[in-house]
Amino acid sequence: MTILNSGRINRRGFMATTAGAALIAGLPLRAKAAPSRGGHLRAAIGHGQTTDVLDPGTYSNSFTTSLAFAIHGRLTEVAADGSLIPEVAESWEASADASVWRFKLRSGVTFHSGKAVTAADVVSSINFHRGENSTSAAGPLVANVTDITTEGDDIVVFTLDGGNADFPYFLSDYHLVICKAEGDSIDWKSGDGCGSYVLKDFSAGVSYAVERNPNHWRSDVAWFDSAEVLAIVDQNARTTALVSGDVDVVDRLDLKTVGLLARNPNIQINSVAGTQHFTFAMDTRAEPYNNPDVRLALKYGINRQELVDKILFGYGSVGNDHPIGQGQRYFNTELAQKTYDPDKAKFHLKQAGLDSLDVKLSAADAAFGGAVDAAVLYQSSAAGAGINLTPVREANDGYWSDVWMKKPFCAVYWSGRPVEDQMFATAYKCGAAWNDSFWCNDRFDELMLKARSELDEAKRREMYFEMQQICSDDGGVIVPMFANYVFGNSNKIAHSDTLGANWDVDGMRFIERWWMA
């Protein structure tokens, strides 16, 4: 067996998307006192809907993600600096071909109800997302697990259908929480987790409240006595709540006014570059999006730099119609960057047998801040390419249940994933629950399986390069821009200078990582 540094894996180049890319804007940082326990945190998250439930397979937005990180534990954790560290698992080791993984559980970890976390709970929790009948968004992440066995109460062994050097990273996913085994399934309805906070109240799409877990195994997290998180989708309302002092933390700030907000001496603005990207997803099963030339015409009909300048106000970079960020290990540095080119767009329309194209693009601020404005800008640039694009403003509430993956062309935001295979498996593999363009490409899927088991770095890089090229040229998702995470906190709150970039607001672990100043 190959020991992987007692569970720690560091990614070359991944620092470029995390601590190395973190920028704290506004006033100079104050010297921080050491963390201390106490106080009540109030936060407003620009997401959440009335259809949210505690089922971990359905977590789909920042409201439920932040809750999952607060009340639940996973086998592994992506630390603020981008490295992978043990969480409920104490350590792990792999076979020489990375097809068998053996995880040793940490002793003394209990659920909030007092029951000890055992290997049987881990097996049931992962199996919850497996199988042909699973509808979990994490299904693709564990699809290559062929068997899970236990050795006593503290060893879990995963057997895969092939090597996967990134498998421990997969197990850090926010869906793959450890819940109590219950019959042939798990108890998710009670919210009884093993995380650093205990769930006290949950109102779908409105708010949740948690209190510190007095029996948590870690002493370096959970500084607040309690926390309350509100779902406030309206951007102006969130910002007003921060300025007035009604909340201490808000995400997804209005980039048009963030410079003015930074002048407030009571507020700190944080901008962190990572893997977050904003997209326009086409249903490739439906006309006209089932035609690759139509998809290319739409890709050449968008002015990416204009969106970065006018929607992100420079807090980001242009995208190239694939989901891999510039700081990631296998980012394709050789792929030609698509730019606004009306002539190429018209050429591909003619290749599709069309002189013009009429499409509707659904958008709402629930998708991402400025999504409706982005659609209007897209309308203007597309017109020069013979494309009549009509923006459709959708309601914020219910956007993710009624519009995303329901309407044939819509705005979407993605936080990205720490490793390439995880992102591709989640949203680009044929048949994946969150493949929001319903795209299938046999060569892409073939490469995905080969790449995850390839231990030769050069060969693996070559395969991931080709996969990005296939996404960019054939895929059903337009990725015009990568966006920094821009969020704010009052000066009553303190946090480390190193902020996680794998998700928004310090990897969505702000409740357990931050403290009262």
Side-chain angles (χ1 to χ4, degrees):
M1 300 289 256
T2 303
I3 306 295
L4 295 184
N5 194 21
S6 297
R8 294 179 182 268
I9 304 177
N10 291 301
R11 293 287 179 198
R12 283 197 316 276
F14 192 64
M15 283 293 289
T17 69
T18 53
L23 168 67
I24 307 301
L27 296 177
L29 290 176
R30 306 182 310 276
K32 291 184 174 64
S36 60
R37 305 210 183 278
H40 176 70
L41 174 70
R42 301 163 300 167
I45 296 295
H47 215 152
Q49 51 192 14
T50 53
T51 53
D52 290 334
V53 293
L54 296 177
D55 178 347
T58 66
Y59 296 156
S60 63
N61 57 58
S62 298
F63 181 71
T64 48
T65 301
S66 61
L67 174 61
F69 281 128
I71 68 173
H72 287 297
R74 285 139 296 274
L75 289 177
T76 61
E77 172 187 345
V78 176
D81 67 359
S83 63
L84 194 71
I85 62 175
E87 193 175 351
V88 173
E90 179 180 83
S91 62
W92 53 86
E93 57 185 20
S95 60
D97 64 353
S99 66
V100 178
W101 289 85
R102 187 174 182 271
F103 288 77
K104 186 180 190 319
L105 303 187
R106 191 180 304 277
S107 63
V109 180
T110 62
F111 292 104
H112 301 149
S113 58
K115 177 191 175 299
V117 174
T118 67
D121 296 311
V122 173
V123 172
S124 293
S125 296
I126 303 303
N127 279 339
F128 180 76
H129 305 272
R130 297 177 63 215
E132 294 181 1
N133 297 324
S134 172
T135 59
S136 169
L141 301 182
V142 292
N144 66 328
V145 176
T146 60
D147 194 24
I148 312 177
T149 58
T150 63
E151 298 173 8
D153 287 337
D154 64 347
I155 300 292
V156 181
V157 181
F158 295 88
T159 301
L160 314 182
D161 59 11
N164 187 344
D166 293 325
F167 185 66
Y169 258 98
F170 281 36
L171 297 177
S172 71
D173 187 82
Y174 60 89
H175 299 95
L176 300 178
V177 301
I178 308 305
C179 296
K180 287 190 303 185
E182 185 177 73
D184 295 331
S185 186
I186 55 172
D187 167 26
W188 57 262
K189 295 180 181 180
S190 68
D192 185 14
C194 61
S196 55
Y197 282 89
V198 180
L199 181 63
K200 290 303 193 181
D201 182 71
F202 176 77
S203 180
V206 179
S207 66
Y208 67 80
V210 295
E211 293 181 0
R212 183 194 300 121
N213 176 9
N215 300 314
H216 192 56
W217 59 271
R218 291 183 68 173
S219 61
D220 61 343
V221 295
W223 305 105
F224 300 111
D225 291 334
S226 56
E228 179 183 13
V229 174
L230 306 175
I232 304 180
V233 176
D234 185 84
Q235 198 172 54
N236 290 331
R238 278 199 315 282
T239 304
T240 299
L242 178 64
V243 172
S244 66
D246 290 333
V247 298
D248 306 303
V249 179
V250 300
D251 69 343
R252 302 173 76 183
L253 288 172
D254 184 351
L255 300 180
K256 295 190 297 291
T257 61
V258 71
L260 179 63
L261 190 63
R263 300 177 190 173
N264 189 322
N266 299 315
I267 294 174
Q268 179 179 327
I269 308 300
N270 312 277
S271 176
V272 183
T275 56
Q276 177 177 232
H277 51 284
F278 298 158
T279 77
F280 299 114
M282 302 171 272
D283 186 343
T284 57
R285 303 170 303 177
E287 294 185 352
Y289 311 108
N290 58 352
N291 189 310
D293 279 297
V294 168
R295 300 198 292 267
L296 280 170
L298 286 164
K299 291 173 181 178
Y300 283 114
I302 190 167
N303 191 326
R304 300 159 195 269
Q305 190 60 54
E306 183 180 40
L307 294 185
V308 171
D309 295 340
K310 296 181 179 180
I311 301 300
L312 301 184
F313 293 86
Y315 289 96
S317 59
V318 295
N320 205 14
D321 302 328
H322 65 74
I324 307 306
Q326 295 180 17
Q328 291 188 264
R329 190 173 41 157
Y330 298 119
F331 174 76
N332 189 337
T333 55
E334 300 172 1
L335 183 63
Q337 174 64 55
K338 284 187 174 63
T339 58
Y340 178 52
D341 193 328
D343 290 335
K344 280 189 177 180
K346 291 176 181 178
F347 168 79
H348 285 290
L349 283 183
K350 288 185 179 180
Q351 290 294 105
L354 301 171
D355 293 324
S356 64
L357 178 68
D358 297 303
V359 295
K360 294 181 179 180
L361 175 59
S362 295
D365 284 341
F368 58 84
V372 176
D373 292 338
V376 172
L377 289 174
Y378 193 1
Q379 177 186 38
S380 178
S381 65
I387 299 171
N388 303 313
L389 186 151
T390 303
V392 178
R393 182 187 289 270
E394 305 282 1
N396 283 321
D397 187 39
Y399 184 84
W400 299 104
S401 58
D402 302 330
V403 178
W404 182 57
M405 300 188 71
K406 300 292 194 303
K407 300 292 181 71
F409 195 18
C410 65
V412 190
Y413 88 91
W414 281 93
S415 296
R417 295 296 186 269
V419 291
E420 290 82 354
D421 186 48
Q422 189 177 6
M423 185 67 223
F424 285 142
T426 299
Y428 290 82
K429 181 181 183 296
C430 184
W434 281 3
N435 181 339
D436 52 14
S437 67
F438 302 93
W439 176 65
C440 290
N441 183 290
D442 292 341
R443 175 60 177 168
F444 179 89
D445 286 353
E446 176 189 2
L447 286 168
M448 190 178 70
L449 290 175
K450 289 182 177 179
R452 71 165 50 131
S453 60
E454 179 56 66
L455 302 182
D456 183 290
E457 286 285 309
K459 292 180 180 179
R460 203 173 189 214
R461 178 176 294 103
E462 183 178 334
M463 286 186 273
Y464 281 124
F465 272 34
E466 184 180 348
M467 291 168 73
Q468 290 166 69
Q469 177 266 316
I470 293 172
C471 279
S472 183
D473 292 343
D474 183 67
V477 178
I478 301 167
V479 185
M481 52 186 165
F482 276 71
N484 291 6
Y485 294 118
V486 183
F487 50 95
N489 60 269
S490 76
N491 62 6
K492 297 178 183 178
I493 304 298
H495 53 67
S496 169
D497 292 344
T498 301
L499 296 169
N502 54 318
W503 303 106
D504 204 352
V505 198
D506 202 1
M508 270 301 154
R509 288 182 175 265
F510 63 97
I511 296 176
E512 71 170 16
R513 288 179 181 171
W514 296 10
W515 63 93
M516 302 301 294

